[in-house]
Amino acid sequence: MTDPERYVVTHTIAAAPSAVFAALTDPARHKDTEPGDWVRDAIDPQPITGTGQIFAMNMFFPKAGGHYVVHNLVNEFAPERTIGWLPGQLDDTGRHIPGGWWWRYDLTPAGEATDVTLTYDWTDTPQSFREEVVMPPFGTEYLAESLAALDRSVK
């Protein structure tokens, strides 16, 4: 399903929701859950444990100037059901400034497997950033490939 500023893709993973959630709450494993090398490594690989937590990742994207750090503010967290975050930057005072897009994973038990729905929404992205990077920077196939990578990383 898509709408003008949101992609939603679902994939069934042959693993329990607990195993899928464990991968998603471990920033050190995030590089294994995307199809390319955009996500590099976790700056602080502490597990994600709840809303309000910020986890930082080293990233690489040529249109964003190459190497950069993204600070993700966890805004959705329900163990073994939902996790989501707002990518952004920290200002000089350490306050999180969202970029205007967000990621969310919803997990639904499906027998011995898990239906994972990945949502990427860029509704609040500023026009200046949209013009600089071109939003979204990928199509729905990127989300499908990301869920397939998550699937491989859980097994």
Side-chain angles (χ1 to χ4, degrees):
M1 176 179 98
T2 62
D3 74 23
E5 299 200 333
R6 176 181 294 176
Y7 292 149
V8 180
V9 176
T10 300
H11 178 84
T12 301
I13 295 178
S18 60
V20 176
F21 199 74
L24 294 171
T25 58
D26 182 352
R29 294 176 67 185
H30 281 204
K31 69 181 181 306
D32 300 325
T33 67
E34 64 102 10
D37 67 348
W38 196 335
V39 177
R40 295 296 170 97
D41 60 328
I43 292 173
D44 180 359
Q46 295 299 311
I48 300 166
T49 58
T51 59
Q53 185 175 348
I54 294 176
F55 66 98
M57 302 293 296
N58 284 309
M59 308 286 288
F60 182 85
F61 187 56
K63 287 185 179 179
H67 293 279
Y68 65 98
V69 173
V70 66
H71 293 85
N72 299 294
L73 173 63
V74 179
N75 65 334
E76 302 279 347
F77 191 91
E80 299 182 18
R81 297 198 57 217
T82 302
I83 186 168
W85 54 84
L86 305 168
Q89 300 297 317
L90 300 181
D91 68 11
D92 292 340
T93 67
R95 187 173 65 109
H96 183 265
I97 308 298
W101 59 93
W102 51 264
W103 296 93
R104 178 180 166 135
Y105 293 81
D106 290 291
L107 313 180
T108 305
E112 294 184 15
T114 304
D115 290 335
V116 181
T117 300
L118 174 55
T119 304
Y120 175 75
D121 184 296
W122 63 96
T123 304
D124 296 328
T125 304
Q127 187 60 37
S128 60
F129 191 82
R130 289 173 186 252
E131 293 168 4
E132 179 182 339
V133 173
V134 181
M135 290 299 283
F138 44 74
T140 56
E141 72 282 348
Y142 184 87
L143 271 68
E145 293 168 5
S146 180
L147 288 173
L150 173 62
D151 191 348
R152 288 187 300 274
S153 77
V154 172
K155 295 180 177 172

